[in-house]
Amino acid sequence: MVWQGATGRNLYAYFRGSDPIFDQEKEELIILGANLDTFGEVPNRTPGARGAANCAALLRIAETVRQSHPKRHILCAFFDNQARGHAGVSAFYRALETERTDH
């Protein structure tokens, strides 16, 4: 197997809640996630059915959320690069941990 470098990308669908402030006087966000790629170092020998089913389920949930107008904010996240050390989800959590100076 010959590997070539590439840039992975996470995909997000964000749904603004109608009343996201609850008990702690802070806006709440629910994060739902699925992996975009299959797990394995050799693509031709990696089964992808589980990952595809998870993405299909999350897409269906996103459609339901879009139609239901939830109270809390909801982020549907599709993470790339699971097979490369969970790089997509790791980048997402690192971004959450980064202090924001613009608030």
Side-chain angles (χ1 to χ4, degrees), residues 5-64:
T7 300
R9 288 183 172 76
N10 294 332
L11 302 172
Y12 304 102
Y14 176 74
F15 303 95
R16 184 171 294 282
S18 62
D19 186 20
I21 299 175
F22 285 84
D23 291 337
Q24 298 177 4
E25 300 300 320
K26 294 181 181 180
E27 291 188 20
E28 294 188 14
L29 170 72
I30 297 171
I31 301 171
L32 306 171
N35 294 314
L36 281 173
D37 63 343
T38 61
F39 186 82
E41 298 299 326
V42 182
N44 294 339
R45 303 220 184 260
T46 302
R50 184 184 71 190
N54 290 341
C55 284
L58 187 53
L59 284 170
R60 180 69 179 124
I61 290 169
E63 180 64 23
T64 301

Side-chain angles (χ1 to χ4, degrees), residues 94-103:
R94 278 193 307 276
L96 289 179
E97 293 172 350
T98 303
E99 281 191 45
R100 291 182 53 190
T101 59
D102 61 344
H103 50 226

